[in-house]
Amino acid sequence: MRDITYTAALREALFEEMEIDESVFLIGEDIADFGGVFGVTKNLLQKFGRKRVCQTPISEGAIIGAAVGAAMTGLRPVAELMYVDFILFAMDQTVNQAAKLRYMSGGTVKVPVVIRAQQGCGTCEAAQHSQQLEAWFMHTPGLKVVIPSNPYDAKGLLKTAIRDDNPVIFLEHRMLYSARQQVPDDTWTIPFGRAEIKKSGKDITVVATSLCVHKALEVAKDNHFDIEVIDPRTLVPLDIDTIAESVVKTGRLLVVHESIAQCGVGAEIIRLITEQYFKAFKTAPKVLGGAYVPMPFAKVLEENAVPQKRDIIETINNMMKE
Amino acid sequence: MRDITYTAALREALFEEMEIDESVFLIGEDIADFGGVFGVTKNLLQKFGRKRVCQTPISEGAIIGAAVGAAMTGLRPVAELMYVDFILFAMDQTVNQAAKLRYMSGGTVKVPVVIRAQQGCGTCEAAQHSQQLEAWFMHTPGLKVVIPSNPYDAKGLLKTAIRDDNPVIFLEHRMLYSARQQVPDDTWTIPFGRAEIKKSGKDITVVATSLCVHKALEVAKDNHFDIEVIDPRTLVPLDIDTIAESVVKTGRLLVVHESIAQCGVGAEIIRLITEQYFKAFKTAPKVLGGAYVPMPFAKVLEENAVPQKRDIIETINNMMKE
Amino acid sequence: MIPIEKKIDILRIMYLIREFEIASRNIFKAHLAKGEFLGALHNCDGQEAVAASIGAILRKDDYVFTTFRGHGHSIAKGAEPKKMMAELLGKKTGYSKGRGGSMHMFDPSIGLMGGNGVVGGGLTLAVGAALSAQYRCSDQVSVCFFGDGAAAIGAFHEAINLASLWKLPVIFLCENNLWAATTPIKFGCPIENISERAKGYNCVGKSIDGNDVYTVYETFLSAVDRGRNGNGPSLIECKTYRHHPHCMVIPEHRPKDEKQMWLQRDPIPKFEKVLQNENILSNHQQEKIRNEIKKIIAEAIKFAEDSPLPTVDTLYDYIWA
Amino acid sequence: MIPIEKKIDILRIMYLIREFEIASRNIFKAHLAKGEFLGALHNCDGQEAVAASIGAILRKDDYVFTTFRGHGHSIAKGAEPKKMMAELLGKKTGYSKGRGGSMHMFDPSIGLMGGNGVVGGGLTLAVGAALSAQYRCSDQVSVCFFGDGAAAIGAFHEAINLASLWKLPVIFLCENNLWAATTPIKFGCPIENISERAKGYNCVGKSIDGNDVYTVYETFLSAVDRGRNGNGPSLIECKTYRHHPHCMVIPEHRPKDEKQMWLQRDPIPKFEKVLQNENILSNHQQEKIRNEIKKIIAEAIKFAEDSPLPTVDTLYDYIWA
Ligand SMILES: Cc1ncc(C[n+]2csc(CCOP(=O)(O)OP(=O)(O)O)c2C)c(N)n1
Ligand SMILES: Cc1ncc(C[n+]2csc(CCOP(=O)(O)OP(=O)(O)O)c2C)c(N)n1
Ligand SMILES: [Mg+2]
Ligand SMILES: [Mg+2]
């Protein structure tokens, strides 16, 4: 075993897949000489050269479009968006094109592209640098959506994403880049669609994503209730069975994520479980999501715009009371 | 009373507001001489001239951006997008800019822009012309979302939208343009945030939007269950109280819309009602939404990708059995 | 310069495109009369010289990204009329198995990378295909068709900028038919020749008569050479005209005399005359080809009509690879 | 040509910008040392000649759309350093009441239409403000600042095309500081002068020395006249350089000699020398202004530090008008 960061884990995944498969290449802003603003692609230029580490102008539409076109014609591009907010300049390419090309072509076209994007909050970068858009992508048929919460998952899932023959949106949280974890010495992949029970418990099921997995785990650690914490890891495909099984056991469901609650991932999970496992509930399921507000700048406001440990504790206490 | 189409209702709203307020103007593709591909702006050029009916190049980003910039500086633009699918080229302007400018500026900037967009399916135009994106906009703090289902609502809500000081996404369904209705001779407005009970009933609450309101009403008309049909009319703000009251009465909730079910409007309504009125449910609430598939071309597939009357009937029957 | 057989081929393809468009309109009208709407139909009659000339130069493995008005480009790239016709009717045997319709026909095996319902939607994708060709050290080129209207979309700028920076083998082929839906070119573009924009990207630009086969052929040939030889993209603007309104549901609104003038420049009789003057084409031969084409179209219609619709249980097929 | 007081004003504003930037860096560093991250800070030291010259020409009611690197433009447009400083600290008294931070300072009452965190995010908005001016028959102009990096974004194309078509009073002001974050201009733009693109839109384009006050002033003045007189937009490229890395968290990576060369072209000593040669500026006067500026900055810092943070109960304020 060895200790690596989330950033290093991602870099290892890129490195290994680029070594194995010549058709894998990187495309994005500031990714070559500098190694990416968050350092994920550091040294990959030195190893693989400019042909495979393509540093672009600031043209998000062309970055994603070029990646999609390359994917349609035999390559396996991994595009990097510095902040997911900037995908708003590339939504046609992502949603009208990447997501739909295979279906519209009756299965004759294949689009094995990975779009890595950094998202999250916690660094006071305000409304145009703090969106978390996984719910939109879940709402878009044809996109797989991956949202790893730790180094092990990040590496294993990114390798799987690169090997997947479909467009994958791969969402990294910027407060996780420095997260460390013990991982095996040799390499691994993680299949899509397998949630992980990060801590088992019998009183309440907490489904959390990305950074919130850690908040939920901390709450679970020294709580007087026996909390089960599940990380779906991939939202499309979503391992609803693991969540359902847990809810059947605990009778209580709380979903926690930083992205906006309205029409969000939590709402979707509640819909799925409620429709099929309604009788399992001992109490009303609940979502703790981002506040309905463009992300404010000031720390004191930013902190209060996303669920914190105290909110999770309070909500669990209330739910256990009912 | 008189009989008008949805198209005429929208045109009346534009006409009246343009007459009352010099700062209202129209901007979009093919809207001047031709009067818009769906005819909504017909004859407005003749009445108001090119200054107020601005026909643009095919530049969705610039259309929305220019409208937002004009709104920031004293005008009240009404932008038209021929198909909501094309807003994917204007997402930065809509979501990063329009939705956030007021908040980011601490309330010093005002963005009274209306973005009218046509959406829907039923005309075999396939995946890039059939998206229905209201859920995304609900997920975006700072945007109001209006989705009228008949001529009376279309006119009254569009007038309110134009007078609103915030960005409003106004979503018209293309199969509704020819819908007719008896309306008053004089004019009217409809406040945002007031759902309408289109038919009252005591057995089950059906919340439906846009074209699905009509399907739900037809089902309700000759059904042996006493169905209550609610049309929220505006999704932001959402009149959750009217829905909740109904569910408290009926104990059953079905949401029907054409847009994708995953992370959709129905999921959100279920989340809200479940969190607060869980005990009211006699049976599991349910969403009938668009199939998880890019919209297919062939009629036989397209029809089966969105809820039809038979689906509503079947679902209600199942829910009433439980 | 152009081999004789190639010239005849080009004419043949022009006929085929024209007949396909006529037939597709008839089919759509017939269905409409029965109350069946088959979606949007954007025909390209009048613009055949561009598609056919280009088709005659491209290799099978070159890429073509077309638009919602893509029947001509598809036929010129080698698409089979019967699978196209079947797709128009939403049949299981169509190019996209009924998922795509008129705007979305794909056949990667002949380099046909599909139509696009989004104006300018193919611009950046074509750049990606060219990047892929460069990456694989193949000498394929990637051709992106777009209209005068599409030249106003931001993706145009991003695509040509990236292609020029990376010297990618893309040919940006703008068919300037003077109108974007109901909007005249002067409402969309403040300069005379769209190709002038090429300079702003250190890219080669040419504006030419798009109804003249030889001109299109020569210009395109040098652009393809440029691409294959690693000398980067080209922006070619072909001035042309569509003979019919924007799509089936939009009535004619263009000035009568403008249309009349362009009908007189119809590329098909124009090219026939050229070939007759060169003594390459006899009346008899012309008749023979036309008859062959008619037969192909008739067979395509029959194939399409006889083909089964997709079944509802296949709704979810082809979302994932 | 430029009145003497105006010249001194320009220098004053250049000093003010420089001192503001120095102070903001110090504050950020001090907070960082305490483990408090104040978001991204993009300073503009080195680019003051552009902002100050332009500010000296614009009227209060003209519009300015700036970027994430917008302190200089804001100060030049008349923003108060104390409210800016307060916003940097996320205080309730800041321009955006703590919602915006460094990248998002707005004051419509002085025509400051805000910074933008999105590269190129302001381009189309500025066109809208110009449209509004034209619509209201005011003779305001709308200035959009953007970087060399932003010139690659599709919105650039859509914005300038629309502005040219409609002859809108926009000045597209590109500060080409040779780098976009860590990317050199040659990776982003295949031509020497970005302003050459203006021709492709029938728009006036000029590339100039952005570190020379008089050049910027004259060029900008004629662009403003053009706009006010209804003669449409201009694209002005000012070649300049930032003295510091892209933002606080990115280390310096630019070639030493390039930086050294540009430091020698620092617009402030350069303009001081001009004024001294013109006998407009004495050492004493210079000292006096510098001291005034230092005082303004010190007061701004005190104001900012003394101001209260927004309270949590106001989180949802200012979403809706
Ligand atoms: C992004 C986008 N905006 C608008 C439309 C609607 N639309 C379809 S075709 C068309 C006109 C296109 O004109 P042009 O590019 O000149 O192509 P042509 O129809 O002349 O072949 C428009 C506006 C669209 N499909 N996509
Ligand atoms: C659309 C978008 N893409 C990427 C970024 C990240 N980013 C912020 S500033 C910057 C570089 C901008 O360069 P330039 O336009 O030259 O302005 P400068 O920083 O030199 O003032 C980048 C890539 C962004 N904010 N927005
Ligand atoms: Mg055209
Ligand atoms: Mg720069």
Side-chain angles (χ1 to χ4, degrees):
Chain A
M1 298 289 278
R2 63 211 168 88
D3 189 68
I4 62 172
T5 61
Y6 193 81
T7 306
L10 293 166
R11 194 185 308 125
E12 283 183 12
L14 294 174
F15 185 96
E16 290 174 13
E17 294 306 304
M18 287 175 83
E19 277 229 306
I20 296 168
D21 184 349
E22 258 245 77
S23 67
V24 177
F25 74 100
L26 312 182
I27 183 167
E29 294 163 14
D30 299 297
I31 63 170
D33 306 79
F34 191 70
V37 164
F38 295 90
V40 173
T41 57
K42 200 147 267 166
N43 295 326
L44 295 179
L45 171 68
Q46 287 68 15
K47 167 76 183 173
F48 296 103
R50 291 210 184 271
K51 174 180 165 185
R52 299 184 67 194
V53 183
C54 304
Q55 180 156 326
T56 68
I58 306 176
S59 304
E60 278 76 9
I63 293 170
I64 304 304
V68 171
M72 291 170 80
T73 52
L75 302 186
R76 308 189 83 86
V78 182
E80 172 174 311
L81 292 173
M82 209 182 282
Y83 287 73
V84 81
D85 308 74
F86 312 150
I87 205 170
L88 298 191
F89 271 139
M91 287 303 272
D92 179 68
Q93 286 84 353
T94 307
V95 170
N96 276 336
Q97 313 297 337
K100 298 181 171 52
L101 279 164
R102 184 166 183 81
Y103 193 79
M104 289 194 310
S105 71
T108 60
V109 168
K110 197 170 83 172
V111 191
V113 64
V114 178
I115 302 177
R116 287 182 45 236
Q118 176 273 128
Q119 63 174 21
C121 67
T123 48
C124 299
E125 294 182 71
Q128 292 176 332
H129 286 76
S130 306
Q131 282 162 106
Q132 310 196 36
L133 296 179
E134 58 270 24
W136 282 9
F137 302 124
M138 274 184 90
H139 190 65
T140 305
L143 298 177
K144 298 196 175 177
V145 184
V146 182
I147 186 161
S149 68
N150 65 39
Y152 182 84
D153 291 353
K155 177 170 175 178
L157 290 167
L158 183 51
K159 285 170 69 82
T160 304
I162 294 171
R163 296 179 193 185
D164 198 290
D165 275 340
N166 300 286
V168 178
I169 311 286
F170 192 93
L171 299 167
E172 303 159 13
H173 194 295
R174 75 170 152 281
M175 300 307 282
L176 287 174
Y177 282 125
S178 56
R180 307 191 74 92
Q181 190 180 14
Q182 287 285 320
V183 299
D185 289 320
D186 51 0
T187 194
W188 63 95
T189 61
I190 297 173
F192 285 180
R194 299 248 185 100
E196 192 177 55
I197 301 175
K198 300 272 175 183
K199 179 196 165 295
S200 69
K202 58 178 181 16
D203 289 339
I204 182 168
T205 302
V206 176
V207 177
T209 61
S210 196
L211 188 64
C212 287
V213 173
H214 301 272
K215 296 182 183 174
L217 282 173
E218 282 171 44
V219 168
K221 210 167 55 185
D222 31 52
N223 200 286
H224 52 289
F225 298 114
D226 190 15
I227 301 170
E228 178 143 308
V229 178
I230 299 179
D231 177 359
R233 303 196 292 191
T234 65
L235 298 174
V236 179
L238 179 66
D239 180 0
I240 197 68
D241 293 344
T242 296
I243 298 171
E245 241 173 73
S246 173
V247 175
V248 167
K249 173 174 72 179
T250 65
R252 290 180 170 87
L253 171 63
L254 170 64
V255 187
V256 191
H257 50 63
E258 285 192 351
S259 51
I260 305 290
Q262 282 73 10
C263 292
V265 173
E268 174 60 12
I269 291 174
I270 288 196
R271 176 183 81 87
L272 290 171
I273 301 292
T274 306
E275 283 185 359
Q276 292 183 50
Y277 302 90
F278 183 70
K279 300 243 167 73
F281 286 126
K282 294 184 191 148
T283 181
K286 186 139 180 69
V287 175
L288 271 178
Y292 183 84
V293 70
M295 188 60 70
F297 165 71
K299 190 88 202 158
V300 56
L301 298 179
E302 188 191 39
E303 275 173 358
N304 280 280
V306 291
Q308 301 297 351
K309 273 164 53 183
R310 60 173 182 276
D311 305 306
I312 302 175
I313 293 169
E314 193 190 310
T315 307
I316 289 176
N317 287 344
N318 286 339
M319 287 176 74
M320 293 306 299
K321 247 185 264 161
E322 276 167 37
Chain B
M1 299 291 275
R2 63 212 168 86
D3 189 65
I4 61 172
T5 62
Y6 192 81
T7 305
L10 293 165
R11 194 186 307 125
E12 283 184 12
L14 294 174
F15 185 96
E16 290 173 13
E17 293 305 304
M18 287 175 85
E19 277 228 307
I20 296 169
D21 184 348
E22 259 243 77
S23 68
V24 178
F25 74 99
L26 312 182
I27 184 167
E29 294 162 15
D30 298 297
I31 63 170
D33 307 80
F34 191 70
V37 163
F38 294 91
V40 173
T41 58
K42 201 148 265 164
N43 296 325
L44 295 179
L45 172 67
Q46 287 71 14
K47 167 76 185 172
F48 296 103
R50 292 212 183 269
K51 175 181 163 184
R52 300 184 66 194
V53 183
C54 305
Q55 181 156 326
T56 68
I58 305 176
S59 302
E60 278 75 11
I63 293 171
I64 303 305
V68 171
M72 292 170 80
T73 53
L75 302 185
R76 307 190 83 86
V78 183
E80 173 174 311
L81 291 174
M82 208 181 281
Y83 287 72
V84 82
D85 308 74
F86 311 150
I87 205 170
L88 297 191
F89 271 139
M91 287 303 272
D92 179 67
Q93 287 84 353
T94 306
V95 170
N96 276 335
Q97 312 297 337
K100 300 182 170 49
L101 280 163
R102 184 166 183 79
Y103 193 79
M104 286 193 314
S105 71
T108 60
V109 167
K110 197 171 84 173
V111 191
V113 64
V114 179
I115 301 176
R116 288 181 45 236
Q118 176 274 128
Q119 62 175 20
C121 67
T123 48
C124 299
E125 293 182 71
Q128 291 177 332
H129 286 76
S130 305
Q131 280 161 107
Q132 310 195 35
L133 296 179
E134 58 270 24
W136 281 10
F137 302 123
M138 276 184 89
H139 190 65
T140 306
L143 298 177
K144 297 196 175 178
V145 184
V146 182
I147 187 162
S149 68
N150 65 40
Y152 182 85
D153 291 352
K155 177 171 175 180
L157 290 167
L158 183 51
K159 284 170 70 83
T160 303
I162 294 170
R163 295 178 194 187
D164 198 289
D165 275 341
N166 299 286
V168 178
I169 310 285
F170 193 95
L171 299 167
E172 304 160 13
H173 195 294
R174 73 169 155 283
M175 300 308 282
L176 286 174
Y177 282 124
S178 56
R180 308 190 74 93
Q181 188 180 15
Q182 287 285 318
V183 298
D185 290 321
D186 51 0
T187 193
W188 65 95
T189 60
I190 298 173
F192 285 0
R194 299 250 185 98
E196 192 175 57
I197 301 174
K198 300 274 176 185
K199 180 196 165 294
S200 69
K202 56 178 180 20
D203 290 340
I204 182 167
T205 302
V206 176
V207 177
T209 60
S210 196
L211 187 65
C212 288
V213 174
H214 301 272
K215 295 182 183 174
L217 282 172
E218 282 171 46
V219 167
K221 210 167 56 186
D222 32 52
N223 199 288
H224 53 288
F225 297 114
D226 190 15
I227 301 170
E228 179 143 308
V229 178
I230 299 179
D231 177 359
R233 303 196 292 192
T234 65
L235 298 175
V236 179
L238 179 66
D239 180 1
I240 197 70
D241 293 345
T242 296
I243 298 170
E245 242 174 71
S246 174
V247 174
V248 167
K249 174 173 72 179
T250 64
R252 289 179 170 89
L253 171 63
L254 170 65
V255 188
V256 190
H257 51 63
E258 284 191 352
S259 49
I260 306 290
Q262 282 74 9
C263 291
V265 173
E268 174 60 12
I269 291 175
I270 289 194
R271 176 183 81 88
L272 290 170
I273 300 294
T274 306
E275 283 187 357
Q276 293 184 49
Y277 302 91
F278 182 70
K279 301 243 165 74
F281 286 127
K282 294 184 190 147
T283 179
K286 192 149 173 59
V287 176
L288 272 177
Y292 183 84
V293 70
M295 188 62 71
F297 165 72
K299 190 86 202 158
V300 56
L301 297 179
E302 187 191 40
E303 275 174 357
N304 280 280
V306 291
Q308 300 297 350
K309 274 163 54 181
R310 62 171 181 276
D311 305 308
I312 302 175
I313 293 168
E314 194 190 309
T315 308
I316 290 176
N317 287 344
N318 287 339
M319 288 175 74
M320 293 306 299
K321 246 183 262 159
E322 277 167 36
Chain C
M1 292 207 65
I2 316 182
I4 291 184
E5 325 79 74
K6 215 155 219 185
K7 292 182 179 176
I8 299 291
D9 265 4
I10 290 175
L11 183 68
R12 228 188 127 265
I13 294 293
M14 289 172 80
Y15 284 158
L16 185 53
I17 296 172
R18 180 68 56 96
E19 292 298 330
F20 188 90
E21 293 300 63
I22 292 170
S24 68
R25 266 195 305 283
N26 288 338
I27 287 183
F28 269 58
K29 280 184 197 150
H31 278 261
L32 210 53
K34 289 188 283 175
E36 293 167 21
F37 190 66
L38 287 176
L41 180 73
H42 306 83
N43 289 131
C44 70
D45 321 47
Q47 307 185 183
E48 292 91 344
V50 180
S53 308
I54 284 162
I57 291 169
L58 291 175
R59 293 193 322 230
K60 189 174 171 184
D61 68 341
D62 288 327
Y63 299 115
V64 161
F65 289 80
T66 172
T67 67
F68 47 88
R69 197 181 303 289
H71 302 165
H73 311 141
S74 304
I75 289 172
K77 193 69 176 68
E80 292 177 53
K82 61 179 192 163
K83 286 198 194 175
M84 290 178 61
M85 204 60 93
E87 189 58 37
L88 288 187
L89 296 183
K91 298 299 180 73
K92 191 174 152 176
T93 54
Y95 265 117
S96 304
K97 306 190 180 73
R99 270 76 180 160
S102 166
M103 295 192 278
H104 308 294
M105 302 198 190
F106 293 76
D107 189 355
S109 74
I110 57 165
L112 177 59
M113 304 314 290
N116 217 305
V118 177
V119 167
L123 286 158
T124 58
L125 307 188
V127 170
L131 173 62
S132 163
Q134 186 190 65
Y135 189 99
R136 289 180 282 103
C137 303
S138 82
D139 60 352
Q140 295 160 287
V141 299
S142 174
V143 180
C144 185
F145 287 98
F146 63 107
D148 47 293
I153 205 87
F156 166 81
H157 175 69
E158 297 194 0
I160 191 166
N161 190 52
L162 195 66
S164 293
L165 277 166
W166 293 355
K167 291 211 167 301
L168 299 178
V170 194
I171 295 124
F172 294 102
L173 214 142
C174 181
E175 287 178 282
N176 179 353
N177 58 15
L178 311 187
W179 292 84
T182 72
T183 301
I185 173 86
K186 69 167 195 289
F187 274 55
C189 183
I191 54 169
E192 185 65 28
N193 294 315
I194 291 170
S195 71
E196 286 168 38
R197 289 190 174 153
K199 288 196 214 94
Y201 306 94
N202 191 21
C203 169
V204 176
K206 296 259 183 267
S207 290
I208 58 171
D209 178 355
N211 282 10
D212 186 83
V213 168
Y214 289 177
T215 308
V216 176
Y217 190 95
E218 300 301 337
T219 313
F220 189 71
L221 191 62
S222 60
V224 169
D225 281 347
R226 200 172 298 126
R228 291 212 205 287
N229 295 330
N231 294 321
S234 310
L235 171 60
I236 301 177
E237 177 190 16
C238 295
K239 312 268 191 190
T240 184
Y241 203 74
R242 52 173 159 74
H243 289 176
H244 292 273
H246 173 66
C247 69
M248 280 281 293
V249 294
I250 291 188
E252 187 57 87
H253 55 87
R254 294 171 299 175
K256 273 218 181 73
D257 44 342
E258 176 187 285
K259 185 162 174 181
Q260 205 44 50
M261 192 193 67
W262 279 94
L263 283 174
Q264 278 156 23
R265 297 191 201 164
D266 185 333
I268 293 185
K270 192 170 156 166
F271 192 49
E272 284 172 345
K273 210 163 294 161
V274 168
L275 297 187
Q276 279 156 3
N277 290 344
E278 291 183 16
N279 280 323
I280 295 174
L281 185 71
S282 66
N283 281 345
H284 168 73
Q285 208 179 348
Q286 199 174 319
E287 204 54 31
K288 202 180 134 220
I289 304 175
R290 279 204 175 275
N291 285 336
E292 279 167 27
I293 299 293
K294 290 235 159 79
K295 212 176 132 213
I296 291 172
I297 296 293
E299 280 168 11
I301 295 173
K302 185 162 168 22
F303 173 82
E305 284 176 346
D306 290 351
S307 289
L309 285 166
T311 52
V312 175
D313 61 300
T314 66
L315 174 63
Y316 291 96
D317 290 358
Y318 314 118
I319 300 178
W320 303 117
Chain D
M1 291 208 64
I2 317 182
I4 292 185
E5 326 78 74
K6 216 154 220 186
K7 292 182 180 176
I8 299 290
D9 265 5
I10 290 174
L11 183 68
R12 227 189 127 267
I13 295 292
M14 289 171 80
Y15 284 159
L16 186 52
I17 296 172
R18 180 69 55 96
E19 292 299 329
F20 188 91
E21 293 300 62
I22 292 171
S24 67
R25 264 194 308 280
N26 288 338
I27 288 184
F28 269 59
K29 279 183 199 152
H31 278 260
L32 211 53
K34 289 188 284 177
E36 292 167 22
F37 191 65
L38 286 176
L41 180 73
H42 307 82
N43 289 130
C44 70
D45 320 46
Q47 308 186 182
E48 293 91 345
V50 180
S53 308
I54 284 163
I57 290 168
L58 291 175
R59 293 193 324 231
K60 189 174 171 184
D61 67 340
D62 288 327
Y63 300 115
V64 162
F65 289 80
T66 172
T67 67
F68 46 89
R69 195 182 304 289
H71 302 165
H73 312 139
S74 303
I75 288 172
K77 194 68 179 62
E80 293 177 53
K82 60 178 191 163
K83 288 199 192 173
M84 289 176 63
M85 205 60 91
E87 189 59 38
L88 287 187
L89 295 184
K91 296 298 178 75
K92 191 174 151 177
T93 55
Y95 265 116
S96 304
K97 305 190 181 72
R99 271 73 182 161
S102 167
M103 294 192 278
H104 308 294
M105 303 201 191
F106 293 77
D107 188 356
S109 74
I110 56 165
L112 177 59
M113 305 314 290
N116 218 305
V118 177
V119 167
L123 287 157
T124 58
L125 307 187
V127 170
L131 173 62
S132 164
Q134 185 191 64
Y135 188 99
R136 288 179 283 103
C137 302
S138 82
D139 59 353
Q140 296 158 284
V141 299
S142 175
V143 180
C144 186
F145 287 97
F146 62 107
D148 48 291
I153 206 88
F156 166 82
H157 175 69
E158 297 194 1
I160 192 166
N161 190 50
L162 195 67
S164 292
L165 277 166
W166 293 355
K167 290 208 169 302
L168 299 177
V170 194
I171 295 126
F172 295 102
L173 214 142
C174 181
E175 286 178 283
N176 180 353
N177 59 13
L178 311 188
W179 292 86
T182 71
T183 302
I185 173 87
K186 69 168 197 287
F187 274 55
C189 182
I191 55 170
E192 184 64 28
N193 293 315
I194 290 170
S195 72
E196 286 169 37
R197 287 188 176 156
K199 289 197 210 93
Y201 308 93
N202 192 23
C203 170
V204 176
K206 298 260 182 266
S207 290
I208 58 171
D209 178 355
N211 282 10
D212 185 84
V213 168
Y214 289 176
T215 308
V216 177
Y217 190 95
E218 300 301 336
T219 313
F220 188 70
L221 191 63
S222 59
V224 168
D225 282 347
R226 200 172 298 126
R228 291 216 204 286
N229 295 330
N231 293 323
S234 309
L235 171 60
I236 301 178
E237 177 190 18
C238 295
K239 312 268 191 190
T240 184
Y241 204 74
R242 51 173 161 74
H243 289 177
H244 292 273
H246 173 66
C247 69
M248 281 280 294
V249 293
I250 291 188
E252 189 57 86
H253 56 86
R254 294 172 299 175
K256 272 216 182 74
D257 45 341
E258 176 187 284
K259 186 162 172 183
Q260 205 43 50
M261 192 191 69
W262 279 94
L263 283 174
Q264 278 157 23
R265 297 190 201 164
D266 186 333
I268 293 185
K270 190 168 157 166
F271 193 46
E272 284 172 342
K273 210 163 293 162
V274 169
L275 296 188
Q276 281 156 3
N277 288 345
E278 291 182 17
N279 280 323
I280 295 174
L281 185 71
S282 67
N283 280 345
H284 168 74
Q285 209 179 347
Q286 201 175 318
E287 205 53 31
K288 205 182 130 216
I289 304 175
R290 279 206 177 275
N291 285 334
E292 281 168 27
I293 299 293
K294 289 235 160 79
K295 214 176 129 213
I296 292 173
I297 295 292
E299 280 168 11
I301 294 173
K302 183 159 172 23
F303 173 83
E305 283 177 346
D306 291 351
S307 289
L309 286 165
T311 52
V312 175
D313 60 300
T314 66
L315 174 64
Y316 292 96
D317 291 357
Y318 315 117
I319 300 178
W320 304 117

